[in-house]
Amino acid sequence: MREHMLYGALYHGAVLLGQEPTVPTHRNLSIGHEFRLHLRRLLLMPAHAAGRRNATNRVIRGGFPYHVALLQLEHDPTFRAWSPFRSMTAFIEAVTDAFGRGAPPHHRLVFKAHPLEDGRAPLAEAIRSAARDRGLAERVVFIRGGKLARLLDGARSAVTVNSTAAQQALWRGLPVKCFGTAVYAKPELVSDQPLADFFAAPHPPDPGAYADFRRFLVETSQVGGGFYSLRGRRRLLRHVVDMMLDPRDPYEVRLGAVAAASQQLRLVE
């Protein structure tokens, strides 16, 4: 994540020092506007980190049951193309409303922002407004970025549009409510309950089905590593070159009689 942020900043800075492209682009904002957002985020990082630690500790040590709502980048194509919501604000309002109607009164709702959220969407304001309008101001928490594992370890459920972070919840056996199109949105894995009913008594995933699903993904399309760090690229290239040069389709190999266990699958008890 650090390398991702560093190279992103270098890219925006390099473009600003040159000339911003005039060709058609998928971006809603100019590169200059994005650079200002990232610069503001960089300057506020110490304050945000302190607030995030305090909010996370209050939730972890609070002694109350809580549900996690996974926020996404509003400008991400995954959200824009495969979501029933037009904005994160609409998702926030729907989740808050259903939580107020369905969750037991001693439960809390935790909205967790994406680690790369740059502030273009007014998430904190939208959450405060949605909670206040429904009389839930004391039961709704906003956590600005950070790591997800600690929150999920103590959560009752997770709600998302179609975030890949929901896989962390499924891996832990947590009930998941998914609104959008996602590779994991299978009947055995995510709940089909109305959201208010889900908050009242969420249906958990089938652990055996998820184990099979995860193994299939890892052995066909998910390669360990990354592009933003030297160590990540080295790990990636150990597998991806052979996959690209292999004339066989990885799905056909996995489904056929000659399927071999993937070297990248690593399960830790």
Side-chain angles (χ1 to χ4, degrees), residues 9-90:
L10 291 176
Y11 164 77
H12 286 85
V15 171
L16 285 177
L17 290 176
Q19 183 176 0
E20 188 165 337
T22 57
V23 297
T25 175
H26 67 284
R27 296 175 181 272
N28 293 329
L29 303 178
S30 68
I31 292 179
H33 193 167
E34 288 193 15
F35 177 78
R36 289 190 293 273
L37 287 172
H38 285 290
L39 178 61
R40 180 178 182 272
R41 182 168 176 261
L42 177 64
L43 296 175
L44 292 175
M45 191 173 290
H48 288 171
R52 180 170 61 246
R53 284 194 300 270
N54 290 337
T56 301
N57 288 335
R58 286 200 302 272
V59 171
I60 298 299
R61 301 170 182 172
F64 45 74
Y66 62 89
H67 308 260
V68 177
L70 303 170
L71 298 177
Q72 297 171 230
L73 299 179
E74 192 172 286
H75 56 284
D76 192 302
T78 303
F79 177 80
R80 293 170 60 186
W82 304 107
S83 165
F85 300 101
R86 297 183 62 87
S87 67
M88 270 289 107
T89 297

Side-chain angles (χ1 to χ4, degrees), residues 11 15 24 33 62 71 76 85 131 133 142 159 166 218 225 249 254 269:
Y11 164 77
V15 171
H33 193 167
L71 298 177
D76 192 302
F85 300 101
D133 293 347
F142 174 54
V159 182
V218 169
D249 181 274
R254 180 62 183 84
E269 295 295 337

Side-chain angles (χ1 to χ4, degrees), residues 10-269:
L10 291 176
Y11 164 77
H12 286 85
V15 171
L16 285 177
L17 290 176
Q19 183 176 0
E20 188 165 337
T22 57
V23 297
T25 175
H26 67 284
R27 296 175 181 272
N28 293 329
L29 303 178
S30 68
I31 292 179
H33 193 167
E34 288 193 15
F35 177 78
R36 289 190 293 273
L37 287 172
H38 285 290
L39 178 61
R40 180 178 182 272
R41 182 168 176 261
L42 177 64
L43 296 175
L44 292 175
M45 191 173 290
H48 288 171
R52 180 170 61 246
R53 284 194 300 270
N54 290 337
T56 301
N57 288 335
R58 286 200 302 272
V59 171
I60 298 299
R61 301 170 182 172
F64 45 74
Y66 62 89
H67 308 260
V68 177
L70 303 170
L71 298 177
Q72 297 171 230
L73 299 179
E74 192 172 286
H75 56 284
D76 192 302
T78 303
F79 177 80
R80 293 170 60 186
W82 304 107
S83 165
F85 300 101
R86 297 183 62 87
S87 67
M88 270 289 107
T89 297
F91 172 71
I92 289 167
E93 290 178 349
V95 171
T96 306
D97 183 71
F99 176 79
R101 290 185 289 108
H106 60 289
H107 284 209
R108 301 291 189 271
L109 176 62
V110 179
F111 283 99
K112 166 71 169 57
H114 191 282
L116 295 177
E117 178 59 55
D118 58 14
R120 71 182 66 188
L123 300 180
E125 294 82 352
I127 292 167
R128 282 195 296 266
S129 176
R132 183 179 59 250
D133 293 347
R134 293 162 178 81
L136 302 171
E138 301 302 319
R139 298 176 58 196
V140 176
V141 180
F142 174 54
I143 296 180
R144 196 184 301 271
K147 295 184 178 181
L148 183 59
R150 286 187 67 204
L151 280 176
L152 288 182
D153 285 343
R156 288 293 183 92
S157 72
V159 182
T160 183
V161 177
N162 55 5
S163 173
T164 55
Q167 295 250 26
Q168 294 190 44
L170 291 171
W171 181 77
R172 287 171 169 78
L174 293 177
V176 171
K177 178 66 178 178
C178 171
F179 284 96
T181 302
V183 67
Y184 56 80
K186 314 295 184 186
E188 299 86 353
L189 306 182
V190 301
S191 173
D192 62 355
Q193 299 168 273
L195 188 54
D197 295 343
F198 177 83
F199 280 126
H203 295 168
D206 180 332
Y210 179 69
D212 292 341
F213 170 74
R214 182 178 184 273
R215 181 179 295 275
F216 184 82
L217 284 185
V218 169
E219 293 184 355
T220 54
S221 63
Q222 303 303 298
V223 183
F227 295 104
Y228 293 99
S229 67
L230 180 60
R231 184 175 63 177
R233 289 192 294 273
R234 286 173 174 168
R235 183 182 178 195
L236 180 72
L237 289 172
R238 289 192 183 100
H239 299 285
V240 75
V241 173
D242 286 341
M243 294 177 68
M244 293 173 66
L245 296 177
D246 194 330
R248 301 169 300 172
D249 181 274
Y251 295 98
E252 293 177 355
V253 172
R254 180 62 183 84
L255 294 172
V258 296
S262 171
Q263 296 182 25
Q264 57 184 298
L265 180 62
R266 183 175 60 180
L267 300 178
V268 179
E269 295 295 337

